[in-house]
Amino acid sequence: MKNHVYRPLFLVIAFVVAVLIAREIVVPEDFGTHEAGYMYGWHRKGNEQEWKDFKVKYQGKDYCKLCHQDKVDKISQTPHVIINCENCHGPAVKMARVDGKIHWKNPTYTKHGEDTFENHIDRTREQCLRCHAKLPYKGSGREWVRGINNTEHNPDMECVMCHNPHSPGFG
Amino acid sequence: MISRRGFLKYGASALATSGLITTTSGKIFAAAGSGSKDTRWAFLIDTHKCTGCGLCVKACKLENEVPMEANATRTWVERYVIKHDGEVVADSPHAGIDGYTRNDPQGREIPESDIAKSYFVPKLCNQCEKPACVQVCPVGATYQTADGVVLVDRTWCIGCGYCIMACPYGARFFHPVFRVAEKCNWCYHRITKGMDTACVEACSFGARMVGNIMDPNDPLTKIIKTERVSLLKEEYGTSPMAYYIGLDTLVR
C-alpha cells in the first residue's frame, strides 16, 4: 500500500496509545465499579474513607456532662431538657485556652480555613424566638410550644435577663 | 403458546404484585428488617413535630463546613401556609436557618382567621436507591456506597453541574469554596461511627431520625414497617429513602 495511507493510520494508533497510557497514569488504581455496580458504583474507593474521616463537630450532651454535670442536672428538671447544649453554645470542636479562660475552638466558617475563638454563649432574643415566637400555625409543631409576642413580651431586653435558659420557668 | 387460562392466571398475579413489590421502594420495604443486607441507611421525618426553629439547618452548616453566609445548604426547612380559599403560600427564606419567628410567608402577613392549615417540612438528600444524579455524572465523581449513601468525590468532580440539574429534589448545589458539586450525605462521617447526623442531634423535637432499615431492632425500621409513611416525588422512579410521616399532597 501507499505511504500516504499508512501515515494517518500511524497517527491514529499513536493517539490511541497515548490516551491509553495517559489513562493508566491519571486514573487511580482503586477506581472501579465496586459494590453498587455498573450503573451507580463507579468511583475511587479511597474517597469513602476520606468522607468517613471528615471531622465530627457536634459531640452531644454526654460529652458536656463530663465537666458540666451541674448544668445537665439542672436542665434535666425543665422542659428545656430536650434541647442539645450545643444548639445554644455552638459545636464543641476542640477546647483551647484563650486569655486564661477555657473556650473551645469553634469554626464559624465565615472565612474558610480561619477558625475563630469565640465565647460561645448565644444570649440573643432571636435564639429563644426560634421556638417561642408566637405563630398562628395550627397543625405545625409550634402549636404546643408556649409562644410569646416578640414586640409585647419585654422587648429590648435579653430573655436571659429574666429567664435562666437552663431553668426557664419561675415555678 | 400460553393458554387462555394461563394468561389470565399469570396476568392477574402480575397485576396484583406490580403495585408494590415490583417497585424498588417496595422491594426495600420487603427486605426491611430482614437482615438480607448488612446496612442500608434510611431517614424518617415527622412533619407533625417540626417547629421550624431552624437549628437543624444551622447545625448542618457548622458540621459540614458549608459557609454560613452562602445561600446554599445541604438541608432546609420549608414553611407551608394553606388558606381557606385554597391558596398555598410556601417559602424557605435562607433555607430556614434563622428559624421562623414571624408570620410572614413570602413577606405577607396572613391573618390567623384565613389559615386553614400550616406546617413545616424539613428536607434533605433522599439518598435514592436509583439516584438520577449519579447516573448523569460523566466522570464517576459521584457514586452510591454499599450502604446506600450517595457521595461526591471532591478531587474527581469537574464541576459540570449535570447532577445538580438531574436531582428532582433540588438537593444538590455548587460548593462556593471547593467549587464542586455538594450534597447532603446524611453525615456519613457520623453515621458510620454509630452517631446520629448533626441535624438529628440538633432537633429537640424528634422530627428527624436516621437509621439502618435492614436492622429489625432499629426504631426507624419499626416505624417504617408499622406506621403510615410516604415518600417525596415517588413518580420520578428514583426510589427515595427519606420517609415522611404527615406529608401533605401539597408538598412538592
Side-chain angles (χ1 to χ4, degrees), chain B residues 171-192:
Chain B
R172 285 181 174 243
F173 58 96
F174 207 62
H175 197 293
V177 177
F178 298 106
R179 320 227 38 95
V180 294
E182 172 81 358
K183 68 181 284 295
C184 158
N185 54 18
W186 289 355
C187 287
Y188 200 57
H189 58 298
R190 297 176 66 96
I191 56 176
T192 48

Side-chain angles (χ1 to χ4, degrees), chain A residues 11-129:
Chain A
L11 260 178
V12 167
I13 290 171
F15 180 72
V16 168
V17 169
V19 166
L20 286 176
I21 291 172
R23 191 184 183 281
E24 201 55 39
I25 296 167
V26 176
V27 176
E29 231 166 71
D30 58 349
F31 191 88
T33 55
H34 307 298
E35 296 96 336
Y38 196 82
M39 186 84 106
Y40 304 114
W42 283 104
H43 69 290
R44 189 168 59 85
K45 188 81 183 157
N47 185 244
E48 287 176 26
Q49 195 56 42
E50 284 164 28
W51 276 113
K52 284 181 188 167
D53 293 341
F54 196 79
K55 185 153 181 53
V56 170
K57 280 103 184 170
Y58 281 80
Q59 306 290 335
K61 202 179 273 181
D62 289 342
Y63 174 72
C64 315
K65 214 179 190 169
L66 295 175
C67 307
H68 297 293
Q69 183 74 52
D70 56 324
K71 293 282 180 298
V72 177
D73 288 348
K74 191 162 186 185
I75 210 165
S76 301
Q77 316 284 317
T78 77
H80 276 189
V81 62
I82 56 174
I83 314 172
N84 185 0
C85 317
E86 288 159 298
N87 277 338
C88 301
H89 294 298
V93 177
K94 192 171 152 194
M95 286 290 179
R97 197 168 279 274
V98 182
D99 303 333
K101 268 193 148 193
I102 289 185
H103 295 243
W104 52 73
K105 206 175 164 199
N106 195 347
T108 55
Y109 306 110
T110 45
K111 279 198 214 103
H112 190 77
E114 260 177 67
D115 294 352
T116 50
F117 294 90
E118 272 181 37
N119 197 350
H120 275 278
I121 298 182
D122 195 337
R123 288 193 178 83
T124 59
R125 281 176 76 89
E126 285 72 29
Q127 175 72 359
C128 313
L129 290 169

Side-chain angles (χ1 to χ4, degrees), chain B residues 16-232:
Chain B
T17 51
S18 64
L20 184 66
I21 59 169
T22 55
T23 68
T24 310
S25 315
K27 280 182 195 140
I28 290 171
F29 181 81
S34 68
S36 62
K37 191 176 167 188
D38 280 350
T39 313
R40 202 323 170 182
W41 298 107
F43 213 93
L44 181 69
I45 294 147
D46 188 341
T47 62
H48 296 297
K49 292 180 177 166
C50 181
T51 56
C53 72
L55 287 167
C56 51
V57 182
K58 186 181 172 195
C60 172
K61 279 213 175 191
L62 288 170
E63 178 76 27
N64 292 299
E65 304 182 16
V66 178
M68 274 297 176
E69 72 278 9
N71 201 5
T73 168
R74 290 174 166 213
T75 184
W76 65 100
V77 179
E78 294 173 356
R79 161 171 61 186
Y80 287 77
V81 177
I82 292 97
K83 291 168 61 186
H84 286 298
D85 64 11
E87 190 190 353
V88 182
V89 192
D91 68 346
S92 187
H94 303 286
I97 193 165
D98 299 320
Y100 292 90
T101 57
R102 270 191 298 256
N103 175 20
D104 59 351
Q106 297 193 354
R108 292 161 51 189
E109 165 136 13
I110 313 248
E112 179 165 7
S113 53
D114 286 358
I115 299 177
K117 55 181 170 178
S118 41
Y119 43 84
F120 299 100
V121 183
K123 289 195 179 166
L124 72 176
C125 174
N126 287 277
Q127 315 295 357
C128 303
E129 187 64 15
K130 295 182 172 295
C133 55
V134 172
Q135 221 169 353
V136 300
C137 182
V139 294
T142 186
Y143 57 94
Q144 193 179 43
T145 60
D147 46 8
V149 175
V150 174
L151 299 175
V152 178
D153 185 341
R154 283 182 178 164
T155 61
W156 214 238
C157 175
I158 56 171
C160 71
Y162 285 156
C163 56
I164 300 174
M165 314 281 280
C167 174
Y169 305 97
R172 285 181 174 243
F173 58 96
F174 207 62
H175 197 293
V177 177
F178 298 106
R179 320 227 38 95
V180 294
E182 172 81 358
K183 68 181 284 295
C184 158
N185 54 18
W186 289 355
C187 287
Y188 200 57
H189 58 298
R190 297 176 66 96
I191 56 176
T192 48
K193 292 185 185 75
M195 303 169 88
D196 276 331
T197 65
C199 58
V200 171
E201 180 100 36
C203 183
S204 306
F205 305 98
R208 291 171 178 255
M209 194 184 226
V210 69
N212 173 9
I213 196 172
M214 292 299 154
D215 177 359
N217 299 316
D218 198 304
L220 172 131
T221 312
K222 288 183 186 160
I223 294 174
I224 290 171
K225 275 288 199 187
T226 56
E227 287 184 30
R228 287 161 241 184
V229 292
S230 49
L231 296 164
L232 272 175

